[in-house]
Each structure stands twice: as C-alpha cells, then as structure tokens.
Amino acid sequence: MTDVPERYKRQARFHGIGAEGQNELAMKRVLLVGLGALGAAVSDQLVRAGVSLIIVDRDYVEVTNLQRQTLYTEQDAADETPKAIAASERLQAINRDVAVDAHIADVSWDWLRPLPHIDLVLDATDNVETRLLLNDFALEREIPFLFASCVGAYGMNYTVMPGQAPCLRCLMRHLPLAGQTCATAGVVAPIVQHVASRQAVETLKYLTGRHEKMERRLLIEDMWENQSQRLDVERLVDVSCPSCQQQEYPSLVPNRQQTALLCGRDVVQVRRSIDGLDGLLDQLRRAEIVVKQTPFTLEWRWRGHRMLLFKDGRVLVHGVDDAHVAVAMVDECLGR
Ligand SMILES: [Zn+2]
C-alpha cells in the first residue's frame, strides 16, 4: 500500500479496489451532466474517491435546491451562483488532487462533440431529450452511460454498456419517465443519495476494470413503500432501435431548438448568439434598464419578469411558460 496516497488508503484496502484499482481511478475522467440533487451527490462521492470529472449544468442555485442538493449553501442561493461554479469550488475544496473541469452550458451535440477522451458518462439530468442525447453520445464513443432518475421517494438505475443491448432508447417506452417531475410530485433527499450511490459504485467498478461485477439489471426502488425490484431487461431490446442496433444515433444532430422549458419551473430558456456580455450591458444601460452584473451573468427585470443572461447566450425568462412570449421579451431587450 506504499504507493497509495494517504487519503485513499481505506478505499484501497477494500479488496474490490486495491492499490492497483486506486491507481486506475487516478487516470480516468468522467463526464457528469447535471448538478442538481443527483449530480451533487454523485460528484461528492467520486471526487472523494479520486476520480477527475468534467461537470456541466445550465442553471443557478436557488433556495428550493438546498433541501437535497448537498454541495450548495445559503450563500450560493443568495448569490444565484451558477451550479457549475458553486459545485466546482466545493469539490476542489474537498479534493485538490483531482481535476474538476466545470462548464456553465446547456448540453447539446455541438457541445459534446469536441470533448476530449472520457471513460464514462453519468446522467444526472431531469429530462428525456438530454438522456437520449447522452445515450447516443456514449454508444457512439463506445463508453458506458449510467442512467438514473428520482421523483418522490422512487428511483431507477440502469447502465447502458457499449456493445450490449438494450440501450436507454430501447427501454424508453417501458419506463415511467414522462409525467411527474420533482416540481410536481416533490422529492425526498434519501432516494437521491441511494440512486447516486448506485451510480458511484458502478462507476468505481467500471473504472477499476471490475466489469464482471457490474449490475446489468434495471434497478427500481421505492423507499417510502419499501419496495425494490431488479429486472432483467435483455428481452426488451428493440431490434429496430436506431441507437444500439442501427448505429444511427438520431439524437446526435446540431441543436436547432432555440427555446426550452425548464423542468417544472415556469422558466423558458431562449438561446441567442452573443459576443460576450460587455456590449449587451452597455446596450441595456443605454435603454435605462437597471442591470445587476455578476462574473457569469447579467440580470434585469422586464415587464415584471426576471431575465438572466449567461455568457453562452442563454437567457432564462422567469414567470412564463410560453416560448413565444419569452422570445418576444428577449427581442425587446436585446434586439433580434
Ligand atoms: Zn437501443
């Protein structure tokens, strides 16, 4: 055990990992998409375990997050710090020996395509479109994709392994993913920690080369009703699946969608191509709009609605659920 850093000695003593496994972890890099409750929980475990991460999230910290999103503080919510920034600062304070490469962005194929080599993709998102995008991205790169989902006290885990069906697209019509969200049905923190722990342990197994130990079944847990299921899903392969059977990857297309409704929040995201925030700050101030500036965003009010502009050109329009209304308000403020 002499060549294992002090901080990892208990983990390396575990027979499943060992000094060799610990050294493997140090050489691996994982992409984690989404830094809500799941993303916060799984990133905390993996960074402590010695795994370097690329983390990405499109949102900022709010007070309603604090009940379950364990990386964030009241100050982060008061400052409306982007989750990628708040998470990265906290994770690096936990472990400076790993790399945490943080991005404030809405994940798209355009964003994923230029990424360097990664070993595994973790799903901590809240929507089906992004999950299918990550499913296709991982299949195309021939790396595992660890799907996870929680709502209420109910959670699911499934690992899509390269070269082995079914993939998430095959399972989609069998999974209860549409309908209820954390905003409508709520969520309790323990199920998040449970599902995140399953993701973390499968990540450790894969990265240390213990592939034979990996769980191949779909795991379902209802912590409130005391029910759990482990389902063999091999027979659910869709033989016409364009992702795992035809290698066509229908989600790997340039993003033409200019707007998105954020999960259950009365917030519409509008995309603009911009050249930095400085010019727009001047423009808004010339129009006598009071603008609050942070290192990452510009924020102002327009017709009673809060508008938040990120450096990558996304504007979050609060208090609306109609994309046309949101686009019209952004046009009024920033021009077409
Ligand atoms: Zn498939």
Side-chain angles (χ1 to χ4, degrees), residues 135 139 165-171 237-238 240-245:
N135 178 74
L139 285 169
C167 74
L168 187 65
R169 194 181 294 277
C170 294
L171 297 184
V237 175
D238 173 359
S240 64
C241 176
S243 298
C244 69
Q245 301 295 310

Side-chain angles (χ1 to χ4, degrees), residues 22 51 70 235 254 279:
Q22 191 61 49
V51 178
T70 49
R235 65 189 173 77

Side-chain angles (χ1 to χ4, degrees), residues 125-178:
T125 67
D126 57 11
N127 67 88
V128 169
E129 294 75 25
T130 310
R131 286 180 170 129
L132 289 176
L133 171 66
L134 297 176
N135 178 74
D136 286 8
F137 171 69
L139 285 169
E140 198 244 6
R141 289 226 178 169
E142 300 182 334
I143 54 177
F145 168 54
L146 277 62
F147 158 74
S149 161
C150 332
V151 64
Y154 179 92
M156 288 187 286
N157 290 86
Y158 179 69
T159 298
V160 178
M161 287 293 280
Q164 290 174 28
C167 74
L168 187 65
R169 194 181 294 277
C170 294
L171 297 184
M172 221 59 215
R173 58 203 154 119
H174 306 284
L175 297 179
L177 276 177

Side-chain angles (χ1 to χ4, degrees), residues 82-109:
K83 288 182 182 176
I85 302 301
S88 151
E89 285 171 1
R90 173 83 175 147
L91 293 168
Q92 296 274 235
I94 290 166
N95 189 351
R96 298 265 166 217
D97 294 344
V98 300
V100 177
D101 183 9
H103 299 264
I104 307 167
D106 191 14
V107 169
S108 62
W109 174 226

